[in-house]
Amino acid sequence: MARIRNGQLRRDFKRLLAIIADSREPDYAEVERIAKRNGLYYDEKGEVKEERK
C-alpha cells in the first residue's frame, strides 16, 4: 500500500473521506476549498478537472 507522505494532502484526503462517510448533507463548499487547494476544480457538469497553470 502506498502512503501519502505530504502532511497537508494526507489531512485533505482524510477530511474528504470523513465527508463521504458522514450520513448528513455533505459540505460542498469545504469540498470545493479542498479541491482548489490541491489544484482541482469542478466544471459546469460537476466533473473534477485539473487547473491549468
Side-chain angles (χ1 to χ4, degrees):
M1 172 168 60
R3 293 183 54 110
I4 299 172
R5 299 196 184 279
N6 179 298
Q8 181 64 49
L9 184 59
R10 183 173 48 249
R11 284 188 296 277
D12 285 349
F13 190 72
K14 286 171 67 175
R15 181 63 189 133
L16 288 173
L17 290 175
I19 290 170
I20 291 167
D22 194 334
S23 62
R24 295 170 293 171
E25 183 71 21
D27 183 353
Y28 291 110
E30 184 176 2
V31 171
E32 288 178 329
R33 281 192 303 274
I34 292 171
K36 184 174 181 167
R37 187 167 52 233
N38 288 285
L40 304 168
Y41 70 96
Y42 292 93
D43 70 5
E44 61 279 346
K45 296 179 183 177
E47 295 179 13
V48 177
K49 303 288 184 174
E50 287 189 46
E51 291 180 356
R52 297 179 192 240
K53 296 179 181 181

